Amino acid sequence: MRLRLPEERPAEPPTGYKIARPVLSQDGTRAGFTGVSLGGALPYGVLADASCAYGLRHRVPHRRCDCGFHCVHDRAVAEGLLCATEHRGAVLLQVTVLGAYIRFERGFRCARQRVRTATVGPCECGAAAVVLADAGWGRPGWRGLAAVCAGCVRGRTSLSLAAFARLAGEGLRVVAGPGAAPAAGFGVPELVAEAALLQARLDWFQTQLARLGQGRDGGATAQG
């Protein structure tokens, strides 16, 4: 007797959240994502069908296997995964769960998915990202990308968030998450205080130089 899981027939496809790393093909004509754990070696597009990461020929997702696209119900749970050191360079994806899926306590494991929105984090310096640039790692035929601000991109291979979305296709939206707030500017009272402090330091240095000069003169007179 085979155990059959209960079946769901939702009115509309469920929504889930996950994290992934953005990648760019070697020739620069395609953009996609790669998983951060089991499926990290298999880049996928915005609209993609899952395959068994172990190479087994069975229907995906299989209840006796870990295969399929994984996602969680709660956006906050997915955002929490970005705090891990090894996931700091990942982006947050909002996906539509398609095809057959297995529901578990925290999310889904599905046969097909469509990435709706990718939210990139700030640059390593803390500023809001404006491009996705070569991250210094990759897979055969694919370059890994990282969120970078305008000041840090320098000469690295890069493309704007809009260009990444255009290459990925299928109506993908790529948005930049908030960066560090710019430092507050000084007002007149603060500038006056800074000027007074600088003047006081300058007066102190001039006093010390005058003392050193008097010491040298006195020493020369005694020797004469």
Side-chain angles (χ1 to χ4, degrees), residues 48-147:
D49 294 296
S51 59
C52 180
Y54 302 106
L56 301 177
R57 296 185 177 181
H58 54 224
R59 185 178 179 182
V60 179
H62 196 280
R63 64 187 183 88
R64 296 183 183 275
C65 185
D66 294 330
C67 58
F69 290 121
H70 293 241
C71 63
V72 295
H73 300 296
D74 192 347
R75 180 188 178 102
V77 173
E79 289 176 333
L81 298 176
L82 295 172
C83 295
T85 302
E86 64 272 23
H87 298 157
R88 288 297 180 93
V91 300
L92 176 69
L93 304 183
Q94 178 187 8
V95 301
T96 297
V97 176
L98 301 173
Y101 62 82
I102 295 175
R103 181 189 291 272
F104 56 97
E105 182 180 0
R106 300 179 65 184
F108 303 94
R109 185 158 57 89
C110 62
R112 202 173 194 225
Q113 71 176 11
R114 179 190 294 272
V115 182
R116 294 293 187 183
T117 305
T119 302
V120 303
C123 177
E124 285 187 351
C125 72
V130 296
V131 299
L132 289 169
D134 192 336
W137 63 269
R139 302 283 184 266
W142 295 86
R143 289 190 180 94
L145 302 177

Side-chain angles (χ1 to χ4, degrees), residues 137-224:
W137 63 269
R139 302 283 184 266
W142 295 86
R143 289 190 180 94
L145 302 177
V148 179
C149 72
C152 295
V153 63
R154 297 185 177 89
R156 285 186 284 175
T157 300
S158 64
L159 66 165
S160 67
L161 305 187
F164 182 90
R166 185 170 59 254
L167 288 178
E170 299 291 344
L172 174 69
R173 291 179 60 247
V174 182
V175 297
F186 286 119
V188 173
E190 290 81 8
L191 290 174
V192 171
E194 286 290 324
L197 179 59
L198 289 174
Q199 185 61 52
R201 289 176 176 173
L202 181 59
D203 292 341
W204 183 85
F205 278 116
Q206 289 177 336
T207 301
Q208 298 303 313
L209 287 173
R211 289 178 178 176
L212 289 173
Q214 291 174 359
R216 291 197 192 96
D217 293 342
T221 301
Q223 290 178 0

